[in-house]
Amino acid sequence: MALTALEIYKLLPKTNCKECGFPTCLAFAMQIAAGKAGIDQCPPASEEAKETLGAASAPPLPKVIVGTGERAVILGDEVVLYRHEKTFYHPTAFAISVSDALDDDAFRDRIRRIRSLSFERMGETLAVDMVAVRCDSGDPARFAAAAAAAKEGAGKPLLLSGPCDALAAALPSLGPDRPLLSPPVGEGEAGARLAAPLGLPLVVRAKGIDGLEKALAAARAAGACDLVADPMPASLPDAVSLSVYLRRLAILHRAREVAFPTAFDLGNGFPSPFAAASLLVPKYGSLLVLDSDDPADIFPLLTLRQNIFTDPQKPIQVEAGIYPIGKANGSSPVVITTNFSLTFFTVRSDIEASRVPAHLLIADCDGMSVLTAWAAGRFTGESIAKILSESGIAGAVSHRTLILPGMVARLSGKIEELSGWRVLVGPQESSALPSYLRRLPPAAFAPADV
Ligand code: SF4
């Protein structure tokens, strides 16, 4: 049972020394109760308090690590139910399945296609995280060889899905790589005995919350610690309601018995797998297994994940400065915008599409888009005039003509007055930039008398 803020406060030194970064011990106690701080942040705390509060301050959803090194995947370790309360830390992981029943060529081709599911968007690489090797052959030796080949070929952490004799056959060569073991229903305890001595993570599968609670308790009793819960939904609504229910039990009720990251196998004929995945990304699925390796199916899901798991308090931004596009030279147009990543990459790709070499001048607006930055007073006539004089753009071009986003056309007069540059009002939407740039007469960028 979780402790209340008052119960936690009674265990603290009550000196209000502020070493924890909070103004009072009571404020700190409230943060621990909300799962947003840990007792290790209070150096003067007694050993008794540390022991008692250790459990209370542990994250309501435990962390489970699959794989090792840079490609390790972290499941769970979340502290809030809604992103605006703080943030979501660990994005939903995607695993694409491969069957050990495929012949060698088809298996290699499938692994190659899974590995190629990687896309660039807004300066980030979006890729699937894991390979789920399914034991469809019923042959432990064949499964072990398939798992080893998947590890070698994909270079991603593995989810090993099959009966315990097949998992045991695969582990001698894979154990140090921390694969996630997923035995079938009815072999949960045997799977736990396999995972426990090696400290491996384990998927516990059982139908519904009650079944899951019993199966998780049995796995823990058998010594397995790093557990992932699969409630085995039969339909899309079932999957979403179980996922939400489990997360609410974990975060709001601190129900440790069922508070584990979740896995949903949306392959093997699951109805509407992509609709289910698109709902489980925002609604708490920790790991989703899909059968499709079609980029048209996977890219939208990765894009959705990128949007949901972007920290709203830290807009994705690029560095301010001058970005030459194409063979930009002294007579190329200068286009200005803000350093919000989505704005930057959109404008840059529209300029590239125009095939008109240009200089893209990026203003530091704390990652805000053009209109937001203007409304916040970060993209103004004064700030743009300052950028024109301090960024070095005046030395990079021989003309003094700036293309301003059409959304902030009203700034043009002030910029011209303060900087001496001539302002051309660009289109309202970046998508109109290619035709706009192609129509500009070269005379617009004739050398200025400076
Ligand atoms: Fe209180 Fe500990 Fe924070 Fe000091 S560090 S204010 S004793 S909670």
Side-chain angles (χ1 to χ4, degrees):
M1 187 70 183
L3 297 176
T4 64
L6 209 53
E7 288 166 334
I8 294 168
Y9 173 70
K10 286 177 186 166
L11 293 164
L12 295 176
K14 302 185 215 51
T15 56
N16 297 334
C17 70
K18 301 185 178 62
E19 279 189 61
C20 55
F22 294 92
T24 63
C25 294
L26 183 58
F28 181 63
M30 290 166 76
Q31 293 298 313
I32 292 184
K36 296 179 181 175
I39 187 63
D40 54 329
Q41 291 169 249
C42 170
S46 68
E47 284 309 312
E48 183 202 350
K50 283 179 184 162
E51 198 175 312
T52 311
L53 295 178
S57 59
L61 198 64
K63 178 198 289 188
V64 172
I65 300 173
V66 183
T68 56
E70 281 181 7
R71 288 179 180 260
V73 173
I74 297 177
L75 308 175
D77 193 25
E78 301 291 352
V79 297
V80 293
L81 205 54
Y82 302 108
R83 192 179 71 157
H84 63 260
E85 294 175 287
K86 192 171 186 189
T87 189
F88 291 159
Y89 290 103
H90 298 112
T92 304
F94 289 104
I96 306 298
S97 68
V98 59
S99 168
D100 73 342
L102 295 174
D103 65 42
D104 287 356
D105 285 348
F107 189 91
R108 268 196 299 274
D109 189 49
R110 173 79 170 175
I111 293 293
R112 184 189 56 72
R113 289 203 305 274
I114 294 173
R115 203 180 48 223
S116 69
L117 292 171
S118 176
F119 314 89
E120 291 295 321
R121 184 174 183 268
M122 289 172 62
E124 290 184 5
T125 301
L126 311 182
V128 298
D129 309 277
M130 297 170 57
V131 177
V133 187
R134 293 193 196 278
C135 181
D136 295 326
S137 66
D139 177 352
R142 188 180 177 99
F143 179 71
K151 172 200 160 188
E152 193 64 31
K156 295 178 187 289
L158 299 182
L159 166 67
L160 301 180
S161 182
C164 284
D165 59 344
L167 299 180
L171 284 184
S173 64
L174 297 176
D177 296 314
R178 276 189 75 77
L180 175 59
L181 308 186
S182 180
V185 182
E187 292 192 32
E189 282 185 65
R193 286 194 293 276
L194 197 57
L198 296 168
L200 295 180
L202 176 76
V203 178
V204 175
R205 312 183 76 210
K207 281 214 172 288
I209 305 288
D210 291 344
L212 208 47
E213 186 177 342
K214 287 193 194 104
L216 288 163
R220 283 204 306 276
C225 299
D226 291 343
L227 303 180
V228 177
D230 179 352
M232 301 181 68
S235 65
L236 183 157
D238 206 16
V240 176
S241 62
L242 283 166
S243 184
V244 171
Y245 195 24
L246 282 167
R247 185 60 64 91
R248 290 178 73 86
L249 283 171
I251 303 285
L252 298 182
H253 302 280
R254 301 297 179 102
R256 299 278 183 202
E257 321 78 62
V258 290
F260 295 96
T262 50
F264 294 88
D265 190 342
L266 304 177
N268 270 336
F270 188 89
S272 308
F274 303 107
S278 66
L279 290 169
L280 288 169
V281 167
K283 284 299 170 195
Y284 316 132
S286 307
L287 169 63
L288 307 181
V289 181
L290 294 161
D291 284 346
S292 173
D293 61 13
D294 184 344
D297 292 330
I298 304 303
F299 181 56
L301 292 173
L302 294 173
T303 301
L304 172 67
R305 177 177 76 175
Q306 185 187 33
N307 291 340
I308 296 294
F309 286 87
T310 297
D311 187 343
Q313 296 169 59
K314 293 182 199 152
I316 311 175
Q317 50 188 291
V318 297
E319 248 184 72
I322 305 166
Y323 293 78
I325 297 173
K327 291 185 177 161
N329 57 33
S331 57
S332 300
V334 176
V335 180
I336 190 166
T337 192
T338 65
N339 68 332
F340 176 41
S341 275
L342 188 56
T343 302
F344 169 80
F345 287 104
T346 305
V347 172
R348 189 179 73 172
S349 80
D350 286 330
I351 294 175
E352 283 167 351
S354 76
R355 299 191 180 277
V356 176
H359 298 278
L360 180 56
L361 187 56
I362 295 298
D364 181 1
C365 297
D366 291 335
M368 287 184 267
S369 63
V370 169
L371 273 185
T372 311
W374 169 75
R378 294 299 311 270
F379 197 56
T380 62
E382 287 80 358
S383 70
I384 293 171
K386 193 159 181 262
I387 291 163
L388 289 172
S389 74
E390 295 179 359
S391 64
I393 189 64
V397 294
S398 54
H399 62 83
R400 293 292 179 266
T401 302
L402 176 72
I403 298 172
L404 187 69
M407 292 278 189
V408 288
R410 69 193 70 198
L411 301 180
S412 57
K414 184 57 104 180
I415 296 169
E416 289 189 341
E417 178 191 327
L418 295 176
S419 69
W421 283 57
R422 183 165 72 107
V423 173
L424 299 180
V425 175
Q428 296 260 331
E429 299 293 336
S430 174
S431 58
L433 264 174
S435 57
Y436 174 87
L437 288 173
R438 281 195 292 264
R439 281 201 317 270
L440 285 173
F445 305 98
D449 298 328
V450 288

mmCIF file of all heavy atoms in Angstrom, residues 183-222:
data_model
loop_
_atom_site.group_PDB
_atom_site.id
_atom_site.type_symbol
_atom_site.label_atom_id
_atom_site.label_comp_id
_atom_site.label_asym_id
_atom_site.label_seq_id
_atom_site.Cartn_x
_atom_site.Cartn_y
_atom_site.Cartn_z
ATOM 1 N N PRO A 183 7.304 -17.468 -23.069
ATOM 2 C CA PRO A 183 6.766 -18.826 -23.176
ATOM 3 C C PRO A 183 5.249 -18.791 -23.321
ATOM 4 O O PRO A 183 4.616 -17.774 -23.011
ATOM 5 C CB PRO A 183 7.172 -19.463 -21.835
ATOM 6 C CG PRO A 183 7.282 -18.319 -20.893
ATOM 7 C CD PRO A 183 7.685 -17.114 -21.701
ATOM 8 N N PRO A 184 4.642 -19.868 -23.799
ATOM 9 C CA PRO A 184 3.186 -19.864 -23.959
ATOM 10 C C PRO A 184 2.474 -19.939 -22.608
ATOM 11 O O PRO A 184 3.093 -20.250 -21.584
ATOM 12 C CB PRO A 184 2.926 -21.133 -24.775
ATOM 13 C CG PRO A 184 4.127 -21.986 -24.592
ATOM 14 C CD PRO A 184 5.271 -21.101 -24.250
ATOM 15 N N VAL A 185 1.175 -19.655 -22.636
ATOM 16 C CA VAL A 185 0.364 -19.798 -21.418
ATOM 17 C C VAL A 185 0.508 -21.243 -20.935
ATOM 18 O O VAL A 185 0.540 -22.168 -21.736
ATOM 19 C CB VAL A 185 -1.122 -19.524 -21.727
ATOM 20 C CG1 VAL A 185 -1.967 -19.612 -20.456
ATOM 21 C CG2 VAL A 185 -1.279 -18.175 -22.359
ATOM 22 N N GLY A 186 0.599 -21.400 -19.650
ATOM 23 C CA GLY A 186 0.737 -22.757 -19.107
ATOM 24 C C GLY A 186 2.189 -23.120 -18.872
ATOM 25 O O GLY A 186 2.480 -24.070 -18.150
ATOM 26 N N GLU A 187 3.119 -22.343 -19.472
ATOM 27 C CA GLU A 187 4.539 -22.603 -19.220
ATOM 28 C C GLU A 187 5.186 -21.404 -18.520
ATOM 29 O O GLU A 187 6.408 -21.241 -18.562
ATOM 30 C CB GLU A 187 5.272 -22.920 -20.530
ATOM 31 C CG GLU A 187 4.861 -24.240 -21.154
ATOM 32 C CD GLU A 187 5.812 -24.667 -22.274
ATOM 33 O OE1 GLU A 187 7.011 -24.362 -22.201
ATOM 34 O OE2 GLU A 187 5.332 -25.296 -23.217
ATOM 35 N N GLY A 188 4.354 -20.576 -17.897
ATOM 36 C CA GLY A 188 4.864 -19.362 -17.252
ATOM 37 C C GLY A 188 5.854 -19.667 -16.141
ATOM 38 O O GLY A 188 6.918 -19.053 -16.050
ATOM 39 N N GLU A 189 5.500 -20.633 -15.281
ATOM 40 C CA GLU A 189 6.393 -20.940 -14.161
ATOM 41 C C GLU A 189 7.692 -21.564 -14.654
ATOM 42 O O GLU A 189 8.780 -21.253 -14.158
ATOM 43 C CB GLU A 189 5.692 -21.878 -13.184
ATOM 44 C CG GLU A 189 4.704 -21.126 -12.289
ATOM 45 C CD GLU A 189 4.097 -22.041 -11.252
ATOM 46 O OE1 GLU A 189 4.831 -22.523 -10.388
ATOM 47 O OE2 GLU A 189 2.884 -22.272 -11.363
ATOM 48 N N ALA A 190 7.584 -22.455 -15.651
ATOM 49 C CA ALA A 190 8.794 -23.066 -16.209
ATOM 50 C C ALA A 190 9.657 -21.975 -16.857
ATOM 51 O O ALA A 190 10.886 -21.980 -16.732
ATOM 52 C CB ALA A 190 8.408 -24.122 -17.244
ATOM 53 N N GLY A 191 9.009 -21.026 -17.504
ATOM 54 C CA GLY A 191 9.740 -19.912 -18.115
ATOM 55 C C GLY A 191 10.427 -19.076 -17.050
ATOM 56 O O GLY A 191 11.561 -18.623 -17.238
ATOM 57 N N ALA A 192 9.743 -18.879 -15.928
ATOM 58 C CA ALA A 192 10.333 -18.094 -14.830
ATOM 59 C C ALA A 192 11.564 -18.800 -14.278
ATOM 60 O O ALA A 192 12.572 -18.160 -13.960
ATOM 61 C CB ALA A 192 9.292 -17.879 -13.736
ATOM 62 N N ARG A 193 11.486 -20.139 -14.164
ATOM 63 C CA ARG A 193 12.655 -20.887 -13.655
ATOM 64 C C ARG A 193 13.822 -20.822 -14.641
ATOM 65 O O ARG A 193 14.981 -20.875 -14.246
ATOM 66 C CB ARG A 193 12.262 -22.339 -13.362
ATOM 67 C CG ARG A 193 11.420 -22.487 -12.086
ATOM 68 C CD ARG A 193 11.320 -23.919 -11.633
ATOM 69 N NE ARG A 193 10.569 -24.736 -12.573
ATOM 70 C CZ ARG A 193 9.244 -24.848 -12.597
ATOM 71 N NH1 ARG A 193 8.530 -24.215 -11.678
ATOM 72 N NH2 ARG A 193 8.641 -25.598 -13.484
ATOM 73 N N LEU A 194 13.494 -20.659 -15.920
ATOM 74 C CA LEU A 194 14.536 -20.530 -16.943
ATOM 75 C C LEU A 194 15.166 -19.126 -16.879
ATOM 76 O O LEU A 194 16.379 -18.957 -16.969
ATOM 77 C CB LEU A 194 13.880 -20.733 -18.317
ATOM 78 C CG LEU A 194 14.730 -21.048 -19.533
ATOM 79 C CD1 LEU A 194 15.561 -22.298 -19.299
ATOM 80 C CD2 LEU A 194 13.819 -21.233 -20.752
ATOM 81 N N ALA A 195 14.302 -18.122 -16.711
ATOM 82 C CA ALA A 195 14.774 -16.730 -16.743
ATOM 83 C C ALA A 195 15.501 -16.338 -15.453
ATOM 84 O O ALA A 195 16.484 -15.589 -15.497
ATOM 85 C CB ALA A 195 13.585 -15.791 -16.969
ATOM 86 N N ALA A 196 15.008 -16.851 -14.306
ATOM 87 C CA ALA A 196 15.503 -16.362 -13.008
ATOM 88 C C ALA A 196 17.019 -16.490 -12.833
ATOM 89 O O ALA A 196 17.682 -15.486 -12.522
ATOM 90 C CB ALA A 196 14.757 -17.069 -11.884
ATOM 91 N N PRO A 197 17.617 -17.685 -13.025
ATOM 92 C CA PRO A 197 19.060 -17.770 -12.752
ATOM 93 C C PRO A 197 19.916 -16.903 -13.669
ATOM 94 O O PRO A 197 21.019 -16.521 -13.309
ATOM 95 C CB PRO A 197 19.372 -19.263 -12.954
ATOM 96 C CG PRO A 197 18.220 -19.843 -13.680
ATOM 97 C CD PRO A 197 17.045 -18.975 -13.429
ATOM 98 N N LEU A 198 19.375 -16.590 -14.847
ATOM 99 C CA LEU A 198 20.140 -15.755 -15.798
ATOM 100 C C LEU A 198 19.768 -14.286 -15.686
ATOM 101 O O LEU A 198 20.326 -13.436 -16.372
ATOM 102 C CB LEU A 198 19.872 -16.236 -17.238
ATOM 103 C CG LEU A 198 20.356 -17.654 -17.553
ATOM 104 C CD1 LEU A 198 19.803 -18.133 -18.883
ATOM 105 C CD2 LEU A 198 21.882 -17.678 -17.575
ATOM 106 N N GLY A 199 18.790 -13.989 -14.818
ATOM 107 C CA GLY A 199 18.356 -12.599 -14.646
ATOM 108 C C GLY A 199 17.725 -12.027 -15.906
ATOM 109 O O GLY A 199 17.822 -10.827 -16.179
ATOM 110 N N LEU A 200 17.061 -12.880 -16.690
ATOM 111 C CA LEU A 200 16.492 -12.422 -17.964
ATOM 112 C C LEU A 200 15.054 -11.918 -17.792
ATOM 113 O O LEU A 200 14.319 -12.414 -16.936
ATOM 114 C CB LEU A 200 16.502 -13.563 -18.988
ATOM 115 C CG LEU A 200 17.887 -14.057 -19.409
ATOM 116 C CD1 LEU A 200 17.754 -15.176 -20.428
ATOM 117 C CD2 LEU A 200 18.715 -12.925 -19.976
ATOM 118 N N PRO A 201 14.660 -10.970 -18.620
ATOM 119 C CA PRO A 201 13.267 -10.504 -18.574
ATOM 120 C C PRO A 201 12.322 -11.557 -19.168
ATOM 121 O O PRO A 201 12.710 -12.320 -20.051
ATOM 122 C CB PRO A 201 13.288 -9.237 -19.428
ATOM 123 C CG PRO A 201 14.463 -9.389 -20.343
ATOM 124 C CD PRO A 201 15.468 -10.244 -19.635
ATOM 125 N N LEU A 202 11.091 -11.548 -18.672
ATOM 126 C CA LEU A 202 10.140 -12.605 -19.029
ATOM 127 C C LEU A 202 8.759 -12.012 -19.280
ATOM 128 O O LEU A 202 8.270 -11.203 -18.481
ATOM 129 C CB LEU A 202 10.055 -13.607 -17.864
ATOM 130 C CG LEU A 202 9.048 -14.738 -17.990
ATOM 131 C CD1 LEU A 202 9.569 -15.811 -18.950
ATOM 132 C CD2 LEU A 202 8.758 -15.359 -16.617
ATOM 133 N N VAL A 203 8.121 -12.424 -20.378
ATOM 134 C CA VAL A 203 6.722 -12.052 -20.613
ATOM 135 C C VAL A 203 5.840 -13.085 -19.919
ATOM 136 O O VAL A 203 6.008 -14.292 -20.128
ATOM 137 C CB VAL A 203 6.379 -12.033 -22.117
ATOM 138 C CG1 VAL A 203 4.899 -11.699 -22.320
ATOM 139 C CG2 VAL A 203 7.243 -11.009 -22.855
ATOM 140 N N VAL A 204 4.932 -12.591 -19.073
ATOM 141 C CA VAL A 204 3.981 -13.483 -18.404
ATOM 142 C C VAL A 204 2.639 -13.296 -19.098
ATOM 143 O O VAL A 204 2.112 -12.186 -19.155
ATOM 144 C CB VAL A 204 3.886 -13.150 -16.903
ATOM 145 C CG1 VAL A 204 2.813 -13.995 -16.233
ATOM 146 C CG2 VAL A 204 5.231 -13.373 -16.244
ATOM 147 N N ARG A 205 2.097 -14.376 -19.626
ATOM 148 C CA ARG A 205 0.869 -14.290 -20.416
ATOM 149 C C ARG A 205 -0.274 -14.969 -19.676
ATOM 150 O O ARG A 205 -0.124 -16.084 -19.174
ATOM 151 C CB ARG A 205 1.083 -14.954 -21.778
ATOM 152 C CG ARG A 205 2.361 -14.511 -22.466
ATOM 153 C CD ARG A 205 2.509 -15.127 -23.825
ATOM 154 N NE ARG A 205 1.652 -14.486 -24.778
ATOM 155 C CZ ARG A 205 1.116 -15.071 -25.843
ATOM 156 N NH1 ARG A 205 1.348 -16.352 -26.061
ATOM 157 N NH2 ARG A 205 0.357 -14.403 -26.675
ATOM 158 N N ALA A 206 -1.395 -14.288 -19.603
ATOM 159 C CA ALA A 206 -2.601 -14.883 -19.010
ATOM 160 C C ALA A 206 -3.782 -14.017 -19.393
ATOM 161 O O ALA A 206 -3.637 -12.802 -19.606
ATOM 162 C CB ALA A 206 -2.480 -14.965 -17.487
ATOM 163 N N LYS A 207 -4.943 -14.617 -19.486
ATOM 164 C CA LYS A 207 -6.127 -13.867 -19.929
ATOM 165 C C LYS A 207 -6.670 -12.995 -18.807
ATOM 166 O O LYS A 207 -6.920 -13.465 -17.702
ATOM 167 C CB LYS A 207 -7.207 -14.850 -20.372
ATOM 168 C CG LYS A 207 -6.956 -15.397 -21.764
ATOM 169 C CD LYS A 207 -8.264 -15.640 -22.509
ATOM 170 C CE LYS A 207 -8.018 -16.001 -23.952
ATOM 171 N NZ LYS A 207 -7.571 -14.901 -24.763
ATOM 172 N N GLY A 208 -6.834 -11.704 -19.098
ATOM 173 C CA GLY A 208 -7.509 -10.788 -18.168
ATOM 174 C C GLY A 208 -6.661 -10.440 -16.962
ATOM 175 O O GLY A 208 -5.576 -10.982 -16.740
ATOM 176 N N ILE A 209 -7.189 -9.506 -16.152
ATOM 177 C CA ILE A 209 -6.433 -8.983 -15.006
ATOM 178 C C ILE A 209 -6.265 -10.046 -13.925
ATOM 179 O O ILE A 209 -5.175 -10.223 -13.381
ATOM 180 C CB ILE A 209 -7.168 -7.754 -14.403
ATOM 181 C CG1 ILE A 209 -7.420 -6.697 -15.486
ATOM 182 C CG2 ILE A 209 -6.386 -7.179 -13.231
ATOM 183 C CD1 ILE A 209 -6.227 -5.948 -15.975
ATOM 184 N N ASP A 210 -7.343 -10.786 -13.618
ATOM 185 C CA ASP A 210 -7.243 -11.780 -12.541
ATOM 186 C C ASP A 210 -6.241 -12.871 -12.894
ATOM 187 O O ASP A 210 -5.408 -13.262 -12.078
ATOM 188 C CB ASP A 210 -8.622 -12.393 -12.255
ATOM 189 C CG ASP A 210 -9.556 -11.375 -11.621
ATOM 190 O OD1 ASP A 210 -9.044 -10.343 -11.137
ATOM 191 O OD2 ASP A 210 -10.780 -11.594 -11.636
ATOM 192 N N GLY A 211 -6.375 -13.359 -14.133
ATOM 193 C CA GLY A 211 -5.453 -14.416 -14.553
ATOM 194 C C GLY A 211 -4.017 -13.926 -14.531
ATOM 195 O O GLY A 211 -3.101 -14.644 -14.113
ATOM 196 N N LEU A 212 -3.841 -12.673 -14.937
ATOM 197 C CA LEU A 212 -2.503 -12.088 -14.979
ATOM 198 C C LEU A 212 -1.923 -11.958 -13.577
ATOM 199 O O LEU A 212 -0.739 -12.260 -13.340
ATOM 200 C CB LEU A 212 -2.606 -10.710 -15.642
ATOM 201 C CG LEU A 212 -1.392 -10.163 -16.377
ATOM 202 C CD1 LEU A 212 -0.755 -11.181 -17.300
ATOM 203 C CD2 LEU A 212 -1.810 -8.939 -17.167
ATOM 204 N N GLU A 213 -2.760 -11.538 -12.640
ATOM 205 C CA GLU A 213 -2.275 -11.361 -11.267
ATOM 206 C C GLU A 213 -1.737 -12.678 -10.719
ATOM 207 O O GLU A 213 -0.662 -12.726 -10.111
ATOM 208 C CB GLU A 213 -3.412 -10.824 -10.390
ATOM 209 C CG GLU A 213 -2.943 -10.475 -9.000
ATOM 210 C CD GLU A 213 -4.048 -9.875 -8.148
ATOM 211 O OE1 GLU A 213 -5.066 -9.422 -8.707
ATOM 212 O OE2 GLU A 213 -3.890 -9.876 -6.916
ATOM 213 N N LYS A 214 -2.477 -13.771 -10.960
ATOM 214 C CA LYS A 214 -2.034 -15.086 -10.458
ATOM 215 C C LYS A 214 -0.754 -15.527 -11.169
ATOM 216 O O LYS A 214 0.193 -16.008 -10.538
ATOM 217 C CB LYS A 214 -3.127 -16.136 -10.718
ATOM 218 C CG LYS A 214 -4.326 -15.992 -9.804
ATOM 219 C CD LYS A 214 -5.213 -17.237 -9.901
ATOM 220 C CE LYS A 214 -6.571 -16.962 -9.259
ATOM 221 N NZ LYS A 214 -7.670 -16.733 -10.162
ATOM 222 N N ALA A 215 -0.713 -15.347 -12.488
ATOM 223 C CA ALA A 215 0.458 -15.799 -13.249
ATOM 224 C C ALA A 215 1.698 -14.989 -12.873
ATOM 225 O O ALA A 215 2.801 -15.537 -12.774
ATOM 226 C CB ALA A 215 0.174 -15.664 -14.746
ATOM 227 N N LEU A 216 1.524 -13.674 -12.639
ATOM 228 C CA LEU A 216 2.667 -12.839 -12.244
ATOM 229 C C LEU A 216 3.179 -13.255 -10.864
ATOM 230 O O LEU A 216 4.390 -13.309 -10.633
ATOM 231 C CB LEU A 216 2.261 -11.358 -12.242
ATOM 232 C CG LEU A 216 2.061 -10.729 -13.633
ATOM 233 C CD1 LEU A 216 1.262 -9.430 -13.541
ATOM 234 C CD2 LEU A 216 3.416 -10.465 -14.296
ATOM 235 N N ALA A 217 2.247 -13.559 -9.953
ATOM 236 C CA ALA A 217 2.659 -13.997 -8.606
ATOM 237 C C ALA A 217 3.430 -15.306 -8.697
ATOM 238 O O ALA A 217 4.454 -15.495 -8.022
ATOM 239 C CB ALA A 217 1.422 -14.152 -7.716
ATOM 240 N N ALA A 218 2.973 -16.216 -9.549
ATOM 241 C CA ALA A 218 3.655 -17.505 -9.696
ATOM 242 C C ALA A 218 5.055 -17.307 -10.279
ATOM 243 O O ALA A 218 6.024 -17.956 -9.852
ATOM 244 C CB ALA A 218 2.829 -18.432 -10.593
ATOM 245 N N ALA A 219 5.172 -16.400 -11.238
ATOM 246 C CA ALA A 219 6.488 -16.142 -11.847
ATOM 247 C C ALA A 219 7.438 -15.532 -10.823
ATOM 248 O O ALA A 219 8.618 -15.887 -10.765
ATOM 249 C CB ALA A 219 6.330 -15.212 -13.056
ATOM 250 N N ARG A 220 6.896 -14.633 -9.998
ATOM 251 C CA ARG A 220 7.749 -14.026 -8.962
ATOM 252 C C ARG A 220 8.172 -15.072 -7.947
ATOM 253 O O ARG A 220 9.322 -15.106 -7.507
ATOM 254 C CB ARG A 220 7.008 -12.876 -8.268
ATOM 255 C CG ARG A 220 6.977 -11.612 -9.097
ATOM 256 C CD ARG A 220 6.798 -10.373 -8.222
ATOM 257 N NE ARG A 220 5.635 -10.480 -7.365
ATOM 258 C CZ ARG A 220 4.389 -10.177 -7.742
ATOM 259 N NH1 ARG A 220 4.178 -9.753 -8.973
ATOM 260 N NH2 ARG A 220 3.385 -10.284 -6.908
ATOM 261 N N ALA A 221 7.227 -15.943 -7.581
ATOM 262 C CA ALA A 221 7.553 -16.999 -6.609
ATOM 263 C C ALA A 221 8.618 -17.940 -7.166
ATOM 264 O O ALA A 221 9.418 -18.512 -6.419
ATOM 265 C CB ALA A 221 6.286 -17.785 -6.257
ATOM 266 N N ALA A 222 8.666 -18.073 -8.483
ATOM 267 C CA ALA A 222 9.677 -18.942 -9.097
ATOM 268 C C ALA A 222 11.001 -18.210 -9.289
ATOM 269 O O ALA A 222 11.945 -18.771 -9.842
ATOM 270 C CB ALA A 222 9.165 -19.457 -10.444
#
